[in-house]
Every structure is written in structure tokens, then in C-alpha cells.
Amino acid sequence: MTTPTTSAPLLAVRDLSIDFITPDRPPAHAVSRVSFTLQPGEAMGLVGESGCGKTTLSLALLRLLPPQGRIVNGSVQFNGRELLALAEPEMADIRWRHMAMIFQGAMNALNPVVTVGSQIGEAIHRHYPFMSPPEVAARVAELLDMVGILGARADQYPHQYSGGMRQRAMIAMALACSPEIVIADEPTTALDVMIQAQILDLLDNLRRHLGLAVIFVTHDLGVVAELCDKVLVMYGGVTAEYADVDTIYNSPRHPYTQELLKAFPDLSKPQAALNSIPGYPPRPDALPTGCRFHPRCPLVFDRCRTDQPALLSVSPVWSSQQSSGYAGTANSKRSGEVRPTHLASCHLVENDK
Amino acid sequence: MTSSPSSALSLRNLHKHFDAGRPGLLRRDDRLVHAVDGVDLDLGRGEILALVGESGCGKSTLALTLLGLERPTSGEMYFEGTDVARLRGAALKDMHKRIQMVFQDPYESLNPMMTIEEIVEEPLIVHRSFPTSDQRRARVIQALEDAGLKPADSFLDRLPHQLSGGQRQRVVIAASLVLDPTILLADEPVSMLDVSIRAEILNLLADLRARQGISILFITHDFGTVAHFADRIAVMYLGRIVEIGRTEEVLRAPRHPYTKALLSVVPVPNPRLRQKRTILQGETPNPIDLPTGCRFHPRCPIAEDRCRLTDPPAVTLSPSHSAACLLIENDK
Ligand SMILES: Nc1ncnc2c1ncn2[C@@H]1O[C@H](COP(=O)(O)OP(=O)(O)OP(=O)(O)O)[C@@H](O)[C@H]1O
Ligand SMILES: Nc1ncnc2c1ncn2[C@@H]1O[C@H](COP(=O)(O)OP(=O)(O)OP(=O)(O)O)[C@@H](O)[C@H]1O
Ligand code: SF4
Ligand SMILES: [Mg+2]
Ligand SMILES: [Mg+2]
């Protein structure tokens, strides 16, 4: 583990834009100018409805986009190193060893004819070829123990595991080389609530005890509220809103965030009617003009249809001063003087200035 | 015990056991999987009853038994007051029409080669409900509109992949409505969907109940999903109902330690309300070797010695609320 300095974040993503190129079709702008930073031990929730670009953004951080995907702009710095400038072999060294991903739907991605233990062992061997077989076996047992699977189960095949155990085995595999960052893409969607709680608890412990930084991709706002410090709400490939978790849930400024929260069932208010957001997120090859949310926005006004709103800092109620416009440069928990960053891309934010 | 005539469906001491040995192989194993193990349950007419429990506790097996796709091992089942075991011929067929199921996955439960019209029409053909194709088409259009797919004729020729997830799940619902059922068994109908589509489908089901008086058994592992629209909640553990009551009773004053644990892990969409979670380790134990005494005792945070010995009966807490835990009697 590297020790953090307050100035250089573990991960700094700036203005990242990704297109999908299909022959004879206009490029699809799946992600446009997304920025954020991540400190060691920090957990950021990446939320938004299906098709908003969450997986695309995650894959781009590891440079694992499918062939049609192009990073057309921006920078991704890991510990000060520009990942987008690295040659592929150097990038391969960063992947898994420093930054690992748990893929969406991964629990079905285990090889059915190889034991779970050998699959994890293979991942270790790839990055640490000098480790002896007994050392690898010991590490496999340690990893399985960490995710709450009995070491003796290493010799079993994936079909002998339940869905929740397979998902935890995938987490063990992502942790095999002790990375500093784990990107978890919908790791608990479709799992039982109790197993989901077990997995969240596991990630939270790793973060607290090993300083693991986590990017948690999900459409489940409840899970984000339980686990994360920061939240980036994506809509149609852009940042709708970015703030610390308390601000997102208690004083959201983007109408999309507000609507998403109203659509999420809340046990503490069982009488409240559930709100759905009529319509669907835009396709990246047919983005609306102006604000990407305007066709569904309950607060839409004329300007929204023509001008794309900039990502602006929201003035905190207790201060008239503006914080830096760059996501994540300020960190509320670590230094008392700097105000938490709160950014939103909506014309209404600009209006109140 | 008899069934109450106001119930759409009543179960009395229902069991469904499977052989533990794998089918097709020589049976080396004469042990049983107690998937449903003594369930008493009434679904009122026009009621939305949520059936909540962890993976593997027997929820789908119970639904498949109600649907007639699995034969109960023992126990009684009443459909609108009539013992199902006595139904024959036309009456039995009619019951099968009146109980319909909505399955979990809108991506897997639709045949990708069939148009929306063919998918929704299929149950009508199977049940020979309408003789002419014009009549069938009119019925299909009505069902699509009831499921909120408007204008319905613009959907008839489309294929499933041309629809969004929420629209696909509406097609699944339309196909279950086309036979004019009085009971819908909805098995995790929204767990694969996005939050906002989820709200849309839940509102649709609530609306169907309000407009057509359909009774709904809503199966899920997530309290959050049902809190907003179920009238009552039944909590299932290892093949048994361990607590049942009106939604507010179960959410505000849960009495079974399993219900309390399940409620404690429901993610709360507000970081200020993060609560202490009771995380039960492991998964629902294997229903082959049921624990002695209370089936929850190996994972129960408050178990005492006697919990290993006595299978707790349901304790009545109010006319609508009961729970099966030995420690409840204590605090009366
Ligand atoms: N290989 C590809 N070629 C063209 N378009 C693509 C490709 N992969 C994804 N897209 C499009 O990019 C957009 C963003 O997709 P992405 O998978 O990142 O969304 P997501 O937010 O992860 O959604 P979900 O919640 O459903 O996983 C979608 O509109 C998708 O259709
Ligand atoms: N045909 C069968 N043969 C043997 N065992 C079965 C069969 N069907 C189900 N079971 C077992 O019965 C138990 C209950 O299964 P069921 O599918 O009803 O659970 P569930 O509550 O619906 O779970 P989930 O939430 O994962 O869908 C499980 O242990 C399962 O393995
Ligand atoms: S810019 Fe306009 S359309 Fe977009 S979110 Fe704000 S109010 Fe709604
Ligand atoms: Mg995705
Ligand atoms: Mg099931």
C-alpha cells in the first residue's frame, strides 16, 4: 500500500470521453467529460439507470473497452501516472495488481470445468510467477477465508457453489493481487438481501482495514447510501451530479437525482407512493439537444431544450464562496477548512447564482 | 381446519418434498428436500400478499405448487373455498386459467423469435379461449393496454429485443392477464429491473388490483420492494411461514428474530439513517437436514437451549399478526 498524500489522489479522472464507433453510423457518445478523484480507502458510488454509461466508464479506466470503444478525450492518472499514455504491457501490469474489476454478471463467468481454487491460483500465478505452488495455495485459502468461504471448498467446481458464493469467489479473485482499487460493477444485483449485506460488509471491512478504494457501480441507491462516501450520478453519459453521500441524499440539486430518489422504495416511509420517471435514458447515438435530461425533466424550461448546462459548483447554503470546479479536489472528512465539492449540471443551479 | 370463503386461495399444512437424489441416477439417497414444509396461508380476494424470504427458502416451489405445476406431497389447498383435490375436468381447467404466474426475468421469459402479439396470444390458443383470430386479437390488445402498453397496436408486430426492460416485463404481465385471472403469482417480477422501471411495474400491479380486484401473491427477497404496496407480509424460512401480519405490523413491530434480521439489512436510502445490521452468516441451511427444534436456531442471534428441542408453534399477537418463536411467549 502506498501512503496517500493529500495533494495527489490515488486516482484522478479528468474530462474522460468515450465514443462507440460503428461503421456507417454516427459515433455514439457513451461517456462525455466525466471527472472525479478517489482517495485511498474511499468508496464512490457510480449510479444511474441502465444505459447511462456506468460500465463503459469503468471499463475505460482499466482500458478494457471492446474494440468499438474509443477514449476520445481526457486523462486517467493512477498515483500520478497517466494510464492512457502507457504501452499495453505496462497497463497489463497495473490491471489486477493495482486496479481490479468485478465484472457485471461475473458470477456466471467462472470456468465450469476448473475448480474455484485453481482459477484464483491462476490469477495469482499470472502476476507473481515466482511464487511456489504451496505459497499460491496458502494465498488462495487466505483469500477464500477473507470472503467467508471455507478453504476446503477451494477444490470444488463453480456449480457446487451457490450464486452468492460464486459472487464472493469473484471478489476473492479481484483481490488476489492486493489491488489498491476495486471497481465493482453491480456486484450484488440479483442476489439475496442477506448475501448482499454480507458482501457489502466485506467490502467495507477491506476498505477500513486495508485502505482499499472502491468504485461501486449500481442502480440501487440504498446500497450506495450504506457503503459510499461520494456519489457520482450519471445520466446519458454525463455527470448529472457529484457530491458526498449526505448531500446527494439530503440536498440533491439535479432534478434527475431528485427523481431517482423518489423512485427508490424507502422502508421508513412505506406510505409514500413510488414515483417512476416516465420515459427512458437517451441512446448515445441519438442524444437530445440541450440538457440530456430535458425530455424527462419535471422542471424543464425553454433554455433546457437548446443549451447544454455546464457542470457547476452548487453554492453551499452556509457560504457564498464557490469551491473549486474540479470534482473531488476538496475533501470534507480529511481537512476541516475545505468545503465538500458539490457539482451539478442543470440550468437551475446556474439560475440561483 | 377449513378455509375461509372470503379467501381466493387457502393453504392448510401444505408440504412439498423432493427426493434429494439426482433424477435419472440410481437412488443412493432416500433423504428428502423439505422445500415447503407445513405452510398455512390465506390469500384474500383482491389482496396483495407479499411472501418474503432468502434464496432457497421455498418461495418458488410454493408458487409452482399453487399453479399446479408441482403436486403437493400432503396438505390441503382451497381455491375460492373449494378443495382443489376434488376439482375435476372443466372446473380444474378453469382454476388453472384463473391462477397465472409472472416470472422473474423479462429477458429470459420471452421467446426472442415470437412477436409481442404471438406471445400474448399463446395462452388463449392453449386454453382455446376465443375461437376466432379477430376475437383473440381484440383480447390481446385489451391485455396489452391493461398492462400499460399504449397504443397497443404499435406493439403487436414488434420482437422482444426491440423493447426496453420495463416494456418487456409489461409484455410478460400482459400474457398473464390475457386469460382474465383472478390470482396472479408474481415471482420476483422486478428484481432484474432498474429502480425507475421497478416503480412503474409495482404501480401497474397495484393499479390492476384496484381496477380489476385481482389477488396478488408477490414473491421477493426484498422488503423494500413490497413495503409500499402489499397489504400483508408473510416471512418464510426453510419451508415454513415464521411470521405474518399487516404490512405496518411486520415493518414497525417485527417479532420473529429472523424478520428482525431481514429488516435490519434492507438498505436505507439515506446515509443519516444507517442502522445496525444483523447479518446472518452463511446461507439458508440445506432443507435436507432440517435443524431440530426451531428451524432457525442455528442462525438465531437470541437462541436458547430450548430452541434446539421444541418446534415453536405460531403465537397470535393480534387478530392479524402471528409469529413462531419460543421467546415471544416470554414477554407477554
Ligand atoms: N460495444 C458497444 N457498441 C455500441 N454501443 C455500446 C456498446 N457497449 C455499450 N454501448 C452503449 O453505450 C451506452 C452505455 O452502456 P453501458 O453498458 O456503459 O451502460 P450502463 O450504465 O452500464 O447500463 P447497465 O445499468 O444496463 O449496465 C448504452 O447505450 C449502450 O447501448
Ligand atoms: N425439483 C427439485 N428437486 C430437488 N430439490 C428442489 C427442486 N426444486 C427446488 N428444490 C430445492 O427446494 C428448496 C427451495 O427452492 P425454491 O426454488 O422454492 O426457493 P426460492 O425461495 O424460490 O429461492 P430463490 O429466491 O433463490 O428463487 C431449495 O433448497 C431447492 O434446491
Ligand atoms: S437543465 Fe433543465 S431539463 Fe435539465 S435537469 Fe435542469 S431543469 Fe431539468
Ligand atoms: Mg452496466
Ligand atoms: Mg425462486
Side-chain angles (χ1 to χ4, degrees):
Chain A
M1 277 296 326
T2 43
T3 358
T5 57
T6 23
S7 51
L10 186 57
L11 186 74
V13 176
R14 194 170 230 155
D15 284 338
L16 193 64
S17 300
I18 301 145
D19 283 357
F20 284 109
I21 313 287
T22 321
D24 312 322
R25 306 264 304 276
H29 306 298
V31 174
S32 306
R33 304 198 51 172
V34 170
S35 302
F36 65 90
T37 60
L38 202 61
Q39 302 289 346
E42 193 171 59
M44 183 183 90
L46 187 57
V47 301
E49 285 160 287
S50 189
C52 282
K54 308 181 295 294
T55 299
T56 305
L57 174 64
S58 309
L59 291 173
L61 301 179
L62 285 165
R63 289 181 38 196
L64 286 174
L65 285 170
Q68 308 85 339
R70 301 278 149 73
I71 296 175
V72 291
N73 183 48
S75 126
V76 179
Q77 291 193 348
F78 174 74
N79 269 332
R81 266 173 103 192
E82 177 55 59
L83 298 186
L84 302 186
L86 294 184
E88 178 50 35
E90 290 175 294
M91 187 63 213
D93 196 51
I94 300 270
R95 255 179 238 134
W96 309 125
R97 221 159 137 167
H98 298 286
M99 219 157 114
M101 183 153 172
I102 303 161
F103 295 97
Q104 190 168 12
M107 64 192 221
N108 303 316
L110 287 164
N111 185 339
V113 298
V114 180
T115 64
V116 173
S118 326
Q119 295 190 52
I120 298 174
E122 205 182 299
I124 299 171
H125 185 74
R126 219 176 297 134
H127 284 93
Y128 300 100
F130 49 83
M131 265 171 94
S132 70
E135 283 172 328
V136 171
R139 175 77 181 137
V140 169
E142 186 190 359
L143 286 163
L144 287 178
D145 180 59
M146 203 147 74
V147 299
I149 296 174
L150 282 178
R153 288 239 186 193
D155 297 331
Q156 292 188 327
Y157 292 89
H159 75 263
Q160 290 166 297
Y161 279 36
S162 69
M165 285 171 75
R166 269 179 278 162
Q167 191 63 39
R168 281 178 284 161
M170 291 308 296
I171 295 176
M173 191 144 9
L175 297 173
C177 304
S178 312
E180 286 101 314
I181 301 176
V182 165
I183 305 172
D185 193 357
E186 307 267 13
T188 61
T189 308
L191 292 181
D192 199 301
V193 276
M194 197 54 81
I195 294 165
Q196 167 173 295
Q198 290 168 9
I199 289 174
L200 294 182
D201 204 41
L202 167 70
L203 287 173
D204 203 43
N205 276 324
L206 292 169
R207 180 164 101 79
R208 286 182 202 290
H209 299 130
L210 305 176
L212 182 74
V214 182
I215 298 179
F216 201 96
V217 181
T218 180
H219 60 249
D220 187 336
L221 293 161
V223 170
V224 172
E226 293 283 339
L227 181 77
C228 298
D229 312 304
K230 295 281 175 57
V231 185
L232 197 159
V233 181
M234 281 185 87
Y235 186 79
V238 299
T239 305
E241 189 156 9
Y242 174 89
D244 63 281
V245 69
D246 189 66
T247 304
I248 288 287
Y249 288 86
N250 292 304
S251 27
R253 285 303 308 279
H254 199 288
Y256 180 57
T257 313
Q258 293 166 351
E259 293 302 300
L260 263 188
L261 285 169
K262 281 189 245 162
F264 192 81
D266 183 350
L267 275 189
S268 58
K269 308 176 201 130
Q271 270 73 42
L274 278 185
N275 186 54
S276 67
I277 315 174
Y280 297 95
R283 286 180 18 207
D285 55 352
L287 292 170
T289 56
C291 172
R292 293 184 183 182
F293 187 53
H294 91 253
R296 301 170 75 194
C297 181
L299 303 177
V300 60
F301 56 104
D302 280 351
R303 198 175 154 206
C304 308
R305 301 193 176 88
T306 50
D307 299 358
Q308 185 165 355
L311 185 61
L312 293 176
S313 179
V314 175
S315 3
V317 232
W318 63 89
S319 159
S320 57
Q321 253 184 294
Q322 297 301 304
S323 60
S324 150
Y326 176 46
T329 42
N331 193 314
S332 57
K333 281 202 184 132
R334 267 154 265 257
S335 68
E337 304 105 66
V338 205
R339 271 181 318 280
T341 309
H342 182 187
L343 305 171
S345 58
C346 165
H347 290 309
L348 291 169
V349 170
E350 197 178 347
N351 281 358
D352 33 70
K353 285 197 187 158
Chain B
M1 260 191 285
T2 51
S3 84
S4 118
S6 67
S7 296
L9 209 55
S10 302
L11 308 177
R12 292 293 173 264
N13 203 18
L14 195 79
H15 290 77
K16 176 64 200 179
H17 299 164
F18 296 103
D19 288 333
R22 277 179 289 169
L25 294 181
L26 273 180
R27 276 192 38 204
R28 283 164 292 144
D29 200 344
D30 50 10
R31 294 177 306 165
L32 293 173
V33 181
H34 302 80
V36 174
D37 201 41
V39 165
D40 290 333
L41 196 65
D42 291 279
L43 174 65
R45 295 190 196 214
E47 180 184 40
I48 300 181
L49 173 62
L51 183 63
V52 184
E54 276 165 288
S55 185
C57 73
K59 305 181 298 292
S60 296
T61 305
L62 183 68
L64 294 175
T65 311
L66 301 182
L67 209 57
L69 293 178
E70 294 283 3
R71 268 183 104 74
T73 308
S74 64
E76 290 127 63
M77 187 175 141
Y78 299 87
F79 173 67
E80 294 177 350
T82 314
D83 187 349
V84 170
R86 294 173 194 212
L87 289 178
R88 297 278 181 278
L92 190 62
K93 271 185 69 183
D94 185 61
M95 182 192 84
H96 285 151
K97 260 171 69 174
R98 302 255 168 254
I99 306 180
Q100 291 293 316
M101 182 135 164
V102 179
F103 291 93
Q104 170 168 5
D105 187 344
Y107 298 89
E108 273 177 13
S109 47
L110 295 176
N111 182 339
M113 311 296 283
M114 282 165 75
T115 66
I116 303 310
E117 177 170 18
E118 287 164 347
I119 290 169
V120 181
E121 187 185 24
E122 195 177 30
L124 294 177
I125 297 173
V126 171
H127 283 271
R128 300 202 183 87
S129 285
F130 290 93
T132 73
S133 62
D134 281 351
Q135 284 172 322
R136 285 198 297 271
R137 168 165 287 201
R139 181 68 201 120
V140 167
I141 287 178
Q142 182 62 48
L144 287 171
E145 295 208 334
D146 287 344
L149 292 166
K150 293 174 201 171
D153 28 342
S154 72
F155 287 93
L156 292 176
D157 305 331
R158 293 212 237 169
L159 293 169
H161 77 263
Q162 295 169 312
L163 304 184
S164 70
Q167 289 171 332
R168 276 184 251 204
Q169 192 58 298
R170 285 172 180 268
V171 171
V172 175
I173 292 173
S176 72
L177 290 179
V178 74
L179 290 168
D180 220 359
T182 48
I183 298 173
L184 269 192
L185 308 175
D187 194 358
E188 307 264 13
V190 297
S191 57
M192 300 291 288
L193 301 171
D194 242 326
V195 264
S196 79
I197 309 176
R198 203 181 272 201
E200 178 188 310
I201 299 294
L202 294 175
N203 290 337
L204 167 66
L205 291 174
D207 192 44
L208 282 172
R209 182 271 291 272
R211 276 189 294 129
Q212 308 185 5
I214 293 179
S215 317
I216 301 176
L217 183 69
F218 190 101
I219 297 175
T220 180
H221 61 77
D222 180 11
F223 274 110
T225 310
V226 294
H228 290 260
F229 87 129
D231 303 308
R232 285 192 304 151
I233 295 181
V235 180
M236 192 164 182
Y237 189 78
L238 272 185
R240 245 334 139 76
I241 306 294
V242 295
E243 180 157 6
I244 185 166
R246 281 187 287 110
T247 300
E248 326 78 78
E249 286 173 324
V250 174
L251 294 183
R252 297 240 168 82
R255 297 297 296 277
H256 197 284
Y258 179 61
T259 313
K260 292 181 188 174
L262 269 187
L263 275 168
S264 81
V265 300
V266 176
V268 183
N270 191 333
R272 291 184 191 167
L273 302 177
R274 279 181 198 169
Q275 54 181 343
K276 187 168 166 11
R277 293 181 288 175
T278 308
I279 300 179
L280 304 174
Q281 292 307 323
E283 294 166 36
T284 317
N286 190 327
I288 297 177
D289 303 306
L290 286 180
T292 57
C294 170
R295 55 194 66 211
F296 184 54
H297 89 257
R299 295 170 87 199
C300 181
I302 58 164
E304 296 179 357
D305 280 350
R306 58 191 167 127
C307 303
R308 254 178 282 140
L309 305 171
T310 315
D311 191 359
V315 178
T316 303
L317 300 159
S318 85
S320 51
H321 191 186
S322 67
C325 166
L326 292 174
L327 275 68
I328 288 177
E329 286 152 315
N330 275 355
D331 53 27
K332 266 206 289 204

